[in-house]
Amino acid sequence: MPLVVLCGFPCSGKSSRSQELQEHLEQSGRKVHIIGDHVLGVDRNAVYADSKKEKELRGSLRAAVERKLNKEEVVILDSPNYIKGYRYELFCLIKHVQTPHCLIHCITAPEISSTWNQNRDKNEQYNQEIFDALVQRFEFPDSRNRWDSPLFTVHKDEKLPLEQICNAIFHRKAPPPNQSTQMQPLSSTNFLHELDKVTQEVVTTVLNAQKTSVPGDVIMVPGASEKVQLPRILSMSELRRLRQQFISYTKLHPNENISQLANMFVQYLNQSIH
């Protein structure tokens, strides 16, 4: 059954909206699972202050979602989900499982969210430094992106559009799987070597090309028909992070067609950096 992804600033009402949707669905006879930071019992200040721990948390949340997705139950992911590359990974997951999904963006002004944060119990508050950092890093969803669509934006005083959400997740076809999301038998013993080699070559090509490029340029990549659309100069650390995310996902969902790895990685880069 479908996946409902919440996103928004810290303390923007995501958990309240999740519970509201859960109650509505359960009244209709649906079984619902809510997965989120609070369910895993993490210390959010410690996690979001450490990029490695935060990455591990996102991996744990994604794994928990994958375990719960089935033909009969609705899964709600109640977490900041502020990175569009991560929302893309979730989209790839639902394509593989072949189930619909939607995104609910809880919109609040930073000062409102900050006040709500300060009104929480001390042990549930984000410290101000972490709160400000998460607000600054938030990558707003865009309904023109497949992984952010269908998108429902909800302000703090608005009612949750329950009927429209149900129509989106129960009466819409799941996106079809494609080569990058279909599980393939890993028959090539050379796959991991090629995955590492090809992605490193793409990163090296982009880094070298940027020395003489400006934002807006297009970078040709050996072995790929797709081209890297350069919206800005990318740091080595960002490219390494995106490469590792792509490798981690592709290891879980390998593709026998090694010749497509470069194109798949370029597509992933373009979707993550814009």
Side-chain angles (χ1 to χ4, degrees):
M1 288 298 283
L3 171 66
V4 179
V5 178
L6 277 291
C7 76
F9 293 156
C11 305
S12 57
K14 297 184 296 297
S15 295
S16 297
R17 298 298 191 176
S18 295
Q19 292 170 5
E20 183 181 350
L21 179 59
Q22 180 185 29
E23 290 173 2
H24 176 77
L25 293 173
E26 289 180 341
Q27 287 173 1
S28 304
R30 307 279 185 178
K31 188 170 182 180
V32 181
H33 294 284
I34 293 182
I35 295 171
D37 302 5
H38 57 289
V39 176
L40 297 182
V42 299
D43 181 341
R44 287 177 292 191
N45 286 308
V47 167
Y48 289 112
D50 186 320
S51 60
K52 182 179 179 181
K53 290 181 179 178
E54 183 181 348
K55 182 178 178 181
E56 291 173 350
L57 172 61
R58 289 198 299 270
S60 297
L61 291 170
R62 185 174 60 247
V65 167
E66 188 167 15
R67 286 193 299 270
K68 292 293 186 182
L69 283 176
N70 58 51
K71 299 293 184 182
E72 300 176 358
E73 300 164 2
V74 179
V75 178
I76 300 174
L77 180 57
D78 173 16
S79 185
N81 298 314
Y82 68 91
I83 301 173
K84 59 185 174 183
Y86 182 60
R87 297 196 297 267
Y88 173 75
E89 290 181 32
L90 295 169
F91 176 72
C92 290
L93 176 60
I94 64 103
K95 289 191 75 174
H96 171 65
V97 178
Q98 296 186 52
T99 186
H101 94 305
C102 74
L103 180 67
I104 300 174
H105 180 196
C106 298
I107 299 178
T108 54
E111 56 270 21
I112 297 295
S113 290
S114 180
T115 299
W116 287 353
N117 180 51
Q118 292 165 9
N119 290 337
R120 283 183 165 185
D121 292 338
K122 285 290 184 181
N123 61 340
E124 295 182 353
Q125 288 182 12
Y126 292 89
N127 67 48
Q128 196 61 43
E129 183 180 355
I130 297 297
F131 177 90
D132 292 341
L134 288 173
V135 168
Q136 185 176 18
R137 298 203 300 259
F138 187 81
E139 297 176 343
F140 285 85
D142 183 343
S143 61
R144 292 173 296 181
N145 297 329
R146 292 168 298 157
W147 56 93
D148 287 338
S149 179
L151 171 65
F152 299 95
T153 56
V154 185
H155 293 80
K156 68 181 184 69
D157 295 324
E158 292 179 340
K159 292 183 178 180
L160 197 61
L162 296 169
E163 184 176 347
Q164 292 94 320
I165 291 171
C166 289
N167 284 334
I169 61 178
F170 296 129
H171 304 297
R172 189 172 60 91
K173 288 185 178 180
N178 56 24
Q179 285 186 327
S180 62
T181 58
Q182 278 187 297
M183 184 68 77
Q184 300 284 348
L186 188 56
S187 60
S188 172
T189 56
N190 203 34
F191 178 81
L192 294 180
H193 171 74
E194 287 298 319
L195 177 62
D196 183 77
K197 176 185 173 184
V198 168
T199 53
Q200 185 57 58
E201 287 176 350
V202 173
V203 167
T204 300
T205 298
V206 172
L207 288 172
N208 288 335
Q210 284 187 147
K211 296 176 182 178
T212 56
S213 300
V214 296
D217 282 355
V218 174
I219 298 175
M220 297 183 64
V221 175
S225 58
E226 301 279 346
K227 299 177 179 62
V228 176
Q229 310 287 333
L230 195 67
R232 52 187 167 79
I233 298 302
L234 306 172
S235 67
M236 181 181 293
S237 61
E238 182 178 9
L239 284 168
R240 283 177 174 171
R241 175 177 59 80
L242 292 172
R243 174 176 177 258
Q244 191 56 52
Q245 288 177 354
F246 178 78
I247 287 175
S248 297
Y249 181 80
T250 308
K251 282 181 179 178
L252 293 174
H253 306 280
N255 189 317
E256 277 191 312
N257 194 347
I258 291 177
S259 65
Q260 288 298 312
L261 285 176
N263 274 329
M264 290 164 57
F265 184 40
V266 171
Q267 290 172 0
Y268 182 80
L269 286 177
N270 285 334
Q271 290 161 345
S272 299
I273 63 181
H274 284 78

